[in-house]
Structure formats: C-alpha cells, structure tokens
Amino acid sequence: MKYVLLISYDGTEFSGWQRQPGCRTVQETMELAAEQIFGKKLVLTASGRTDAGVHALGQVAQFQAETTIPAEKLAACFNRSLPPDVRVLKSAAAPEGFDCSRSAKRKTYRYSAYVADAELPLLSRFAVQLPKKLDLERMRKASELLLGRHDFRAFRSSGFTSKTSEREIYDLQISEKVQDGVEKYDVEVTGNGFLYNMVRILCGELFAVGAGKEEGFSKALQTGERKLLSKTMPPKGLCLIKVEYGVPLFGTAEDKDQ
Amino acid sequence: MKYVLLISYDGTEFSGWQRQPGCRTVQETMELAAEQIFGKKLVLTASGRTDAGVHALGQVAQFQAETTIPAEKLAACFNRSLPPDVRVLKSAAAPEGFDCSRSAKRKTYRYSAYVADAELPLLSRFAVQLPKKLDLERMRKASELLLGRHDFRAFRSSGFTSKTSEREIYDLQISEKVQDGVEKYDVEVTGNGFLYNMVRILCGELFAVGAGKEEGFSKALQTGERKLLSKTMPPKGLCLIKVEYGVPLFGTAEDKDQ
C-alpha cells in the first residue's frame, strides 16, 4: 500500500530534503520516524528535493508500507516521533498509479524579504533583509517576461542537470505588506516545475530590478547565459508552499486544489 | 553620557533578559558586545526583564559611556558584535533625567496563537498552537472587565513581588487573520506595567474563555485568587512590542509614540 504525507518543515537546521551521509536531512528524519512506527526501514520520496535551509509549508512525500493503522491516523503517529521542526500535517492512502514526483502538475514557491537597516531577529529565520524599498511596478513588469513556456537554462545553478531546461511558469505574484512598521515582500511563483536554484536566481534578478537594475530576463531567456542575471538569493527566504496534482490527495474540501 | 537602545530579540535561545550565572541572557550578550565597542565592562539595564523564551520587537535599554562615536551610530557598532538573534534597531542619547525603567509610561505586549491539529514548524517559534477555533466575541466581552485600574494580584506568579499589584490596562485588542489556511490570533495589551507573568496568565484565561470556559476575571479581580484563572501560557507566544515614554527617544517621526 502506498501512502502520501503532507509535510511542513523549518529548513534552518536541515541540510535539505535528501539523505546524505553525516548530515541532518528531512528525508532521514522522516525515515527514522517511519522506522519507529513500522518497526522496519522504509524509503520516503518527496515531490522534489529542497535545498539546505529551504522551508516547506506543503511538501508531499510517499512511502510503501503494510499496516493496519488507518491512513489518516499516520500523521499523528509520525508527529509523535518527529522533532519539532518537521510535522506531518495530513496523511492518506495514495490514489491508484500515483507518484508524488512524476504526478506533480504544479508547484508553488514563495520567496520572502523585508526592508531594514539590519537583520531583524523576529523575521530573519524565514525572510531575507533588503537595504532599501523596492519598485514593485518595475518588478511586476519584468516578471511578465517569465510567464509561459521558456527555456530557463540561464536560471539554473551548475551541479544538477535535468534532461530539459524548458519549464512553464503559470503565475507570478509580487505582494507587499507593512507589519509592525516593516515593509515586507512576498514573491509567489507557480510553475510545472523548477530547475536547480531557479526560484532563487529568478528572485535575485527581480529584487535587483526592483532596486533599479535594467532587467536581464529578456536576454537571459534568449541566450541562456547565467551571468546576465543577478546573484542567487539565500535559501532561508524560500518556502515550498504547495504541490498540486489535479486530484485531491487528502480528501477534504480545503485540499481540493492539491 | 547616557545612551538608549531599541532592541529586538528572538527569545528562544535566551534565558530571558536578566544576567544569571551559567545562562545565556540578552543582558549578558548585550554587555559583551558593549565591552567590545568601549573596551571595558558596562552595565545595561532594560525597561523591564523579559522571561526565558519571551521575544521582543522593541525592548528599550540604557547604559552610561564616554565615547566619541555619534549616538545614532552605536546601533551598527553593537550589531557588528551581536549574534543574529539579537539586534539593536536604533540608538540615541538619552533625554535629561531619563530612566528606561522608571520613565516608562506604557508597555505593549502581544501574545500570538494559531489553530492546528499539530504544532506547525513555520509558526511554532513565535506562537502557540491551539486545538480549536476560539469564540472571539466571548473573549472580547470578557476582556472589557480588565480595562482600567485594578488590583491584579490574582494575575501574578509567585517568585517575584512588586510593591503594589495595582496596574492599569489602557487597551486590549484581539485580532484574527487567516494565513496560508491557518487561523491566527493576536492578543495585544497595553498597560502602565505588568506583574510577573501577568500577560501570560491573562491570555491563558482569555483563550480558555474563547474555548467555552465561564470567565473568571470578575471573581479573580474581586478576590485576588490565582486559582480562579486558567494556566499560564508558554513564553514563546509572548513578545514585548513597545515601551512608550511620552517623549520621542529615537528622533524620527515614526517613533513619535516612543
């Protein structure tokens, strides 16, 4: 029987999702919890890896197990064994033929930043500090160039290679709010998938454009040259918000978009 | 010369403000930074102590020093020596006769909570998890009993004794918002001062009332009996938002209420 889990984690103290010798990873932490529940080693796979320091509000993972525990009770079983920086929000039996990586249709990431002279202790865990306010109109105009299907090879860090660098971006929203006197920005981007560091590179360029740089998106999309874009943003501002499959995985009305 | 600092800290890894042997405290951390800047030991005092695990958005502290560094540059000097979980947001010369504790006219604290089946890793550092939605109307009605000047001795944990247990509450606001599908509550309370654990006891009773308990405020205020009120809430949901003095300390328009 295949099960699916909806998982949230604070990525600060994790070396990313994927198991690596000598590192504390989300995958290993989840697999150790699974071993306590099922009494044997299992492999958990996720919709995709997240890098060291990247957070997740709604990562989806799966595993095979034989158990009499009702599927929806598995979340609580995991949470009894997990450390506080990772939690299973929901659990369910996987639909027929489902694979949490291959079946994923849309992924949404959010990148968060705030404006301050110094890093703010109450915000700095999940957002990056920017020295000056951004021009959101410039950023929104530039972001329109990214919508649709493009070869995003300029938006990729070396080290990981996907078969193709073509991806489709369905939506990109830039929002601002003022909280406790601090200007905060969220960039939320939905696509059919993202290359290695793509969201962090895309946001680096967007923030640079917001600070006055001429946009490099057009030429980078044409030429595929990484150097036309600004620096890769740090991982701590990034959060995997949701993975959508076109079918509800966790059975309640509020998850109809999962 | 006396200087004042506006300080923010993530209280998670601190054993509160006040210096204690063998513990990592905000006071000691600040004093070590001061020693690096001024080359000798100084004493920093705050508007009031915060407990272990309590956060601050706008704590105010003061110290005496002789230096040629312009007062407004001291914030950046401190930040070069401080660990990331504490930051000086602003620095200034203290007004004539000012004392950050005795001169404080109003203090505002915020207590934050959210509704979920399990602790949520992206929220649990600065807010507490509640199992069910609260009835805010019941809470607001009960909170009105607290406004004004009262003897709050029932709202005090043993261990610390103030000369008087009379305090005045000027304002208490309960707000809700839904963020990423999660119901969040903030209780923000402003008074001329608070007894030891007063805000955490007050919020424990408010949350209990919101969950259906009959309010114990009336009788507790009459009788002074701590046992008429619910449990003291955990420190991590509490944040010292601001301390007001009736004069602007940090000189800019946005701090006119400091």
Side-chain angles (χ1 to χ4, degrees):
Chain A
M1 183 77 166
K2 187 184 275 186
Y3 294 95
V4 284
L5 304 174
L6 185 67
I7 305 171
S8 179
Y9 43 89
D10 172 346
T12 312
E13 306 289 336
F14 288 111
S15 299
W17 169 268
Q18 195 177 31
R19 190 186 265 274
Q20 301 168 62
C23 292
R24 180 177 188 256
T25 64
V26 185
Q27 186 182 22
E28 182 188 40
T29 303
M30 289 294 304
E31 288 174 356
L32 287 171
E35 196 175 338
Q36 296 212 341
I37 300 169
F38 303 107
K40 61 177 187 174
K41 284 191 191 299
L42 297 177
V43 174
L44 258 96
T45 56
S47 70
R49 304 168 222 178
T50 51
D51 276 339
V54 172
H55 316 288
L57 182 66
Q59 172 69 286
V60 176
Q62 65 189 15
F63 63 96
Q64 297 271 2
E66 300 308 320
T67 176
T68 55
I69 303 169
E72 70 278 10
K73 304 275 187 201
L74 287 170
C77 296
F78 271 94
N79 290 339
R80 278 192 283 275
S81 297
L82 287 170
D85 51 354
V86 52
R87 278 289 171 273
V88 178
L89 306 182
K90 294 194 175 158
S91 54
E96 186 73 27
F98 177 86
D99 179 84
C100 68
S101 172
R102 283 183 290 100
S103 307
K105 294 212 166 13
R106 297 158 61 100
K107 286 184 187 177
T108 299
Y109 279 93
R110 183 186 298 153
Y111 200 94
S112 301
Y114 61 92
V115 182
D117 294 333
E119 288 221 40
L120 300 180
L122 303 189
L123 297 178
S124 66
R125 198 170 182 91
F126 300 111
V128 298
Q129 176 229 343
L130 301 174
K132 289 199 173 132
K133 286 192 185 187
L134 300 177
D135 182 337
L136 297 198
E137 283 319 301
R138 279 179 64 92
M139 291 167 69
R140 287 180 180 133
K141 195 160 169 239
S143 73
E144 288 170 13
L145 299 163
L146 302 173
L147 297 177
R149 186 171 288 274
H150 302 280
D151 183 341
F152 282 100
R153 69 186 190 281
F155 296 68
R156 176 170 67 178
S157 290
S158 55
F160 280 72
T161 47
S162 313
K163 278 176 219 146
T164 162
S165 49
E166 198 176 271
R167 293 290 183 277
E168 185 167 358
I169 293 187
Y170 302 119
D171 192 34
L172 196 158
Q173 297 290 336
I174 302 165
S175 61
E176 63 182 322
K177 64 177 169 187
V178 176
Q179 194 181 313
D180 293 322
V182 177
E183 181 101 9
K184 297 172 73 178
Y185 303 114
D186 282 337
V187 176
E188 208 162 298
V189 55
T190 302
N192 62 351
F194 295 94
L195 303 170
Y196 183 54
N197 279 355
M198 180 169 158
V199 180
R200 290 163 55 190
I201 291 169
L202 181 164
C203 286
E205 179 68 9
L206 267 186
F207 292 145
V209 169
K213 179 184 181 291
E214 204 182 330
E215 67 85 8
F217 289 142
S218 319
K219 279 197 175 159
L221 288 172
Q222 276 167 34
T223 63
E225 287 183 62
R226 168 68 183 88
K227 67 166 192 256
L228 295 168
L229 302 171
S230 302
K231 62 168 189 175
T232 305
M233 294 300 290
K236 71 176 182 176
L238 187 62
C239 186
L240 172 59
I241 299 297
K242 62 180 174 182
V243 188
E244 294 168 277
Y245 293 94
V247 291
L249 289 186
F250 300 101
T252 59
E254 63 196 302
D255 298 306
K256 64 179 184 295
D257 63 350
Q258 288 283 342
Chain B
M1 182 78 165
K2 188 184 273 185
Y3 294 95
V4 283
L5 304 174
L6 185 67
I7 305 170
S8 179
Y9 44 87
D10 172 347
T12 312
E13 306 290 335
F14 287 110
S15 300
W17 168 268
Q18 193 176 31
R19 188 187 267 277
Q20 300 170 61
C23 293
R24 181 177 187 257
T25 63
V26 184
Q27 185 182 22
E28 182 188 39
T29 304
M30 289 294 303
E31 287 175 355
L32 287 170
E35 196 174 338
Q36 296 213 340
I37 299 169
F38 302 106
K40 62 175 187 178
K41 287 193 190 298
L42 296 178
V43 174
L44 259 95
T45 56
S47 70
R49 306 167 218 178
T50 51
D51 276 340
V54 173
H55 316 289
L57 182 67
Q59 173 67 285
V60 175
Q62 66 189 14
F63 63 97
Q64 296 271 1
E66 300 310 318
T67 175
T68 56
I69 304 169
E72 69 278 10
K73 303 278 188 198
L74 287 169
C77 297
F78 271 95
N79 290 338
R80 278 192 285 275
S81 298
L82 287 169
D85 50 356
V86 52
R87 278 290 170 272
V88 178
L89 306 182
K90 293 193 176 158
S91 53
E96 185 73 27
F98 177 87
D99 179 85
C100 68
S101 172
R102 282 183 292 104
S103 306
K105 294 214 170 7
R106 295 158 62 99
K107 287 185 185 175
T108 299
Y109 280 92
R110 184 187 296 154
Y111 201 94
S112 301
Y114 61 93
V115 182
D117 294 333
E119 287 223 39
L120 301 179
L122 303 189
L123 296 180
S124 66
R125 198 169 182 90
F126 300 110
V128 298
Q129 175 229 345
L130 300 174
K132 290 198 173 135
K133 287 194 186 185
L134 300 177
D135 182 336
L136 297 199
E137 283 319 301
R138 279 179 65 91
M139 292 167 71
R140 286 181 181 132
K141 195 158 169 243
S143 73
E144 288 171 13
L145 300 164
L146 302 172
L147 297 177
R149 184 171 291 272
H150 301 280
D151 182 342
F152 284 100
R153 67 185 190 279
F155 297 69
R156 176 170 66 180
S157 290
S158 53
F160 279 72
T161 46
S162 313
K163 277 176 221 148
T164 162
S165 49
E166 198 177 272
R167 293 291 184 276
E168 185 166 357
I169 293 187
Y170 303 120
D171 192 34
L172 196 158
Q173 298 290 335
I174 303 166
S175 61
E176 62 181 324
K177 64 176 170 187
V178 176
Q179 195 181 313
D180 294 321
V182 177
E183 180 102 8
K184 296 170 74 176
Y185 304 114
D186 282 336
V187 176
E188 209 161 298
V189 55
T190 302
N192 62 350
F194 296 94
L195 302 170
Y196 183 54
N197 279 353
M198 179 170 157
V199 180
R200 291 162 55 191
I201 292 170
L202 181 164
C203 287
E205 178 69 9
L206 267 186
F207 292 146
V209 169
K213 178 185 180 291
E214 202 182 330
E215 66 85 9
F217 289 141
S218 320
K219 279 199 178 158
L221 288 172
Q222 277 166 32
T223 64
E225 286 183 62
R226 168 68 184 87
K227 67 166 193 263
L228 295 168
L229 302 171
S230 302
K231 63 169 187 173
T232 305
M233 295 299 291
K236 71 177 184 175
L238 187 62
C239 186
L240 173 58
I241 298 298
K242 62 180 172 182
V243 187
E244 294 167 276
Y245 294 93
V247 291
L249 289 185
F250 299 101
T252 60
E254 64 195 300
D255 297 307
K256 65 179 181 297
D257 62 350
Q258 287 285 341

